[in-house]
Amino acid sequence: MDDLIEEVIQRLKERQNSETTVTFDQQINPPDEQTFINHEKVILEDTSISFIADLYSMKNDNPWVAWILQGIKYGVRFFIKIDKQMVSFIPRMMVLDWPIIFVVGDKSPLIASRGRIISRGEIAAFPDNSILVKYYKQFLTDEAKNICRYKNITVKVRTEEDCIWLK
């Protein structure tokens, strides 16, 4: 029995340090659940705007959406790679509330804040090279602006709180 417990612990440790990259293709089915059993981190690349819309709407008839929702049940950390042009199509609520991290390129995660005023301390806690999605009613303090420059955080201002396809 101790050997079995030790083996399970070993597999969990291996999973914790394991990641895989999956290429999105709407024409083929997503990988099976073995991906979630073997990897705690899944990077999904080559996604489309229509897929993001389906994911936001939780359309279970889309096999890729169902696959991600199943992965969330397994405790998988999803990183969805997007193009810089897609930032305006990502709902701010997905950036704030979903257990998914959107990444532009290889190193720029999308971030957001709930507060009306975004402070130096909040910006300092964000990763370097991030892209801050804020709407025009939110304000950065002068110190926060300085930290943004220091940490190379790009600020994308939305004229409305939602993304362009939610209007």
Side-chain angles (χ1 to χ4, degrees):
M1 186 67 154
D2 289 338
D3 290 341
L4 179 62
I5 292 172
E6 197 171 303
E7 186 176 330
V8 169
I9 290 172
Q10 180 62 30
R11 289 283 297 133
L12 288 173
K13 285 181 182 178
E14 288 172 7
R15 179 184 183 269
Q16 188 176 19
N17 297 318
S18 181
E19 70 179 53
T20 188
T21 300
V22 176
T23 301
F24 172 80
D25 185 344
Q26 192 67 46
Q27 304 305 315
I28 62 170
N29 285 327
D32 62 15
E33 70 180 13
Q34 194 66 38
T35 302
F36 307 139
I37 294 168
N38 294 334
H39 308 285
E40 182 183 17
K41 179 179 177 182
V42 174
I43 301 164
L44 185 61
E45 56 186 15
D46 295 335
T47 56
S48 67
I49 294 166
S50 62
F51 168 69
I52 300 297
D54 284 354
L55 182 60
Y56 185 72
S57 302
M58 296 181 70
K59 293 189 177 175
N60 279 330
D61 59 335
N62 180 325
W64 284 91
V65 171
W67 181 74
I68 285 184
L69 296 176
Q70 181 184 21
I72 290 170
K73 282 195 250 180
Y74 277 82
V76 171
R77 294 180 304 131
F78 281 99
F79 292 76
I80 298 180
K81 285 188 169 186
I82 60 171
D83 295 327
K84 196 172 193 176
Q85 293 79 15
M86 290 177 68
V87 170
S88 296
F89 292 92
I90 307 299
R92 190 168 161 272
M93 296 315 290
M94 284 185 92
V95 177
L96 284 168
D97 295 331
W98 280 60
I100 294 171
I101 297 174
F102 293 94
V103 181
V104 176
D106 288 329
K107 63 177 183 172
S108 298
L110 287 187
I111 55 175
S113 172
R114 293 187 191 286
R116 190 172 160 274
I117 297 173
I118 303 171
S119 69
R120 174 191 187 279
E122 190 171 1
I123 294 296
F126 291 138
D128 292 359
N129 302 307
S130 295
I131 298 174
L132 173 63
V133 178
K134 75 174 203 69
Y135 72 109
Y136 77 99
K137 290 184 179 180
Q138 290 182 300
F139 299 97
L140 287 165
T141 65
D142 288 339
E143 289 179 327
K145 289 176 187 176
N146 288 336
I147 298 295
C148 283
R149 283 189 290 276
Y150 176 77
K151 294 183 72 160
N152 196 31
I153 293 176
T154 304
V155 180
K156 299 290 275 184
V157 180
R158 296 239 173 112
T159 54
E160 297 197 23
E161 194 167 356
D162 292 324
C163 67
I164 60 178
W165 57 267
L166 284 173
K167 294 179 184 179

